[in-house]
Amino acid sequence: MDVSVTMWGLTIVGLCALIAVDFFIGGRKPHEVSIKEAAIWTGVWVALATLFGLGLLVFAGGKPSGEFFAGFITEKSLSVDNLFVFVLIMAKFAVPTIYQQRVLMVGVLIALVLRAVFIAAGAAIVSTFAWVFYIFGAFLIWTAWKLIQEARADEEEEEFEENRLLKAVEKRFPSTDRYHDTKLLIVENGKRLMTPMLIVMLAIGTTDVLFALDSIPAIFGLTQDPYIVFTANAFALMGLRQLYFLIGGLLRKLVHLSYGLSIILGFIGVKLVLHALHESGVHVPEISIPVSLGVICAVLAVTTATSLYASRKQALAEAGSGEGRARDKDSVDV
């Protein structure tokens, strides 16, 4: 899709305006986000993404629109996996509930800027070296296998480990261990200190970039258009803050999410390898965008349904076990 510099500028300005509206209406005053508020804003962001996709359909055609929706749904589903780590980060830094949405807002903005750099670099590489699709495809297939192995492993409760960049920042700049409202820097005894608020924002933003190592190749497997890659990532990320509060309690119930994501990443990895072979002159079938969109939606629907069924079955089993222990205790007492 041929996108002019003017269109790029208008898109970035429009996204910045939406972010500003989100901040001044919902995020300016620190407060505990209710399920109702999170649901409303999540619906708003999904509606805006849908309108943008329909706009592409009207003005650019079905192919760009299909690529956007496939990319948006993929990035959104991969972002849900990020929320598990965000929960760990919030617990690690003991972020007060009323400040969590401010942390997520700034952290996601940092991630969006860093992802834009990744996307620009990825687009330049893809347009110059067609063989890079072999690397992207192999990496996604390996990541899919790794996700399955991690999902099958019976691991202990995870803990967040700070990345090297975050450790370097904390080592170089002195900090305080107490929150001072939403202040990022304070002065104590004539010395400027970072607050935990700034550190946790950097943790959210830089950690999300690590997730971009598989999500960016994944979306390039669906479209090589930098404009669609960027906008799909932007809309997926900008609603992440509200999604955190909306499904935070449901994350533990999505027990099969890793399996679903591994299938999606493996599928896109195969799609990339087929595309690379086609570019090399080998006559192989290529997977169309409608098929990709259908597979992604079907996998997510099945994964969600089986996750909720498994969680409900486990809850009933635990409840039955608890009642059995209670009856045994009563029998002993008698």
Side-chain angles (χ1 to χ4, degrees), residues 78-98:
L78 291 172
S79 294
V80 171
D81 199 35
N82 298 13
L83 297 183
F84 285 100
V85 180
F86 289 175
V87 169
L88 295 177
I89 293 174
M90 294 294 187
K92 168 80 173 180
F93 292 96
V95 182
T97 306
I98 62 172

Side-chain angles (χ1 to χ4, degrees), residues 137-159:
F139 177 74
L140 289 181
I141 293 171
W142 175 79
T143 303
W145 173 249
K146 186 179 176 184
L147 272 177
I148 292 177
Q149 294 298 99
E150 290 175 353
R152 295 177 63 182
D154 185 17
E155 299 178 350
E156 298 180 356
E157 190 71 21
E158 294 183 67
E159 292 185 4

Side-chain angles (χ1 to χ4, degrees), residues 30-306:
H31 64 284
E32 187 172 346
V33 179
S34 66
I35 296 295
K36 180 180 178 181
E37 179 184 347
I40 291 173
W41 277 104
T42 298
V44 167
W45 283 115
V46 171
L48 289 172
T50 303
L51 288 173
F52 182 84
L54 293 175
L56 287 176
L57 176 63
V58 173
F59 295 104
K63 186 173 182 293
S65 178
E67 291 176 350
F68 171 80
F69 281 118
F72 172 72
I73 294 172
T74 300
E75 292 298 315
K76 201 70 173 177
S77 60
L78 291 172
S79 294
V80 171
D81 199 35
N82 298 13
L83 297 183
F84 285 100
V85 180
F86 289 175
V87 169
L88 295 177
I89 293 174
M90 294 294 187
K92 168 80 173 180
F93 292 96
V95 182
T97 306
I98 62 172
Y99 300 142
Q100 287 184 4
Q101 72 158 341
R102 178 66 62 85
V103 168
L104 287 169
M105 177 176 285
V106 178
V108 167
L109 288 178
I110 294 172
L112 183 57
V113 172
L114 294 177
R115 280 201 185 199
V117 176
F118 271 54
I119 292 168
I125 294 172
V126 165
S127 63
T128 307
F129 307 105
W131 51 261
V132 79
F133 288 113
Y134 287 112
I135 298 175
F136 281 0
F139 177 74
L140 289 181
I141 293 171
W142 175 79
T143 303
W145 173 249
K146 186 179 176 184
L147 272 177
I148 292 177
Q149 294 298 99
E150 290 175 353
R152 295 177 63 182
D154 185 17
E155 299 178 350
E156 298 180 356
E157 190 71 21
E158 294 183 67
E159 292 185 4
F160 170 71
E161 294 184 6
E162 298 178 359
N163 56 57
R164 292 182 180 180
L165 176 60
L166 196 59
K167 288 179 179 178
V169 170
E170 291 181 291
K171 186 176 181 180
R172 185 177 181 85
F173 300 98
S175 61
T176 178
D177 58 356
R178 291 192 305 111
Y179 286 90
H180 296 262
D181 296 325
T182 58
K183 293 179 180 177
L184 305 181
L185 299 168
I186 62 167
V187 177
E188 284 186 357
N189 301 321
K191 198 172 184 179
R192 188 177 296 274
L193 304 173
M194 292 191 307
T195 68
M197 180 69 71
L198 177 57
I199 296 173
V200 72
M201 286 177 178
L202 292 174
I204 293 286
T206 55
T207 300
D208 183 84
V209 172
L210 297 179
F211 284 96
L213 293 178
D214 54 38
S215 66
I216 296 300
I219 194 171
F220 270 112
L222 298 169
T223 176
Q224 286 82 60
D225 191 318
Y227 182 78
I228 296 176
V229 173
F230 173 74
T231 51
N233 266 272
F235 279 107
L237 280 178
M238 289 192 300
L240 195 58
R241 173 172 63 93
Q242 291 82 1
L243 197 62
Y244 172 88
F245 295 104
L246 180 62
I247 69 171
L250 295 176
L251 286 176
R252 296 295 178 184
K253 295 184 179 181
L254 298 176
V255 292
H256 296 160
L257 178 64
S258 292
Y259 292 103
L261 294 179
S262 67
I263 292 172
I264 291 172
L265 290 177
F267 170 77
I268 297 175
V270 172
K271 184 178 186 298
L272 275 171
V273 172
L274 291 175
H275 177 73
L277 289 170
H278 182 78
E279 290 292 311
S280 300
V282 180
H283 295 290
V284 293
E286 286 203 87
I287 302 172
S288 66
I289 286 299
V291 171
S292 299
L293 186 56
V295 169
I296 292 167
C297 291
V299 169
L300 290 176
V302 172
T303 300
T304 302
T306 57

Side-chain angles (χ1 to χ4, degrees), residues 309-325:
Y309 174 77
S311 297
R312 184 172 180 272
K313 188 176 179 180
Q314 183 180 359
L316 291 174
E318 291 175 353
S321 177
E323 290 176 0
R325 286 195 298 269

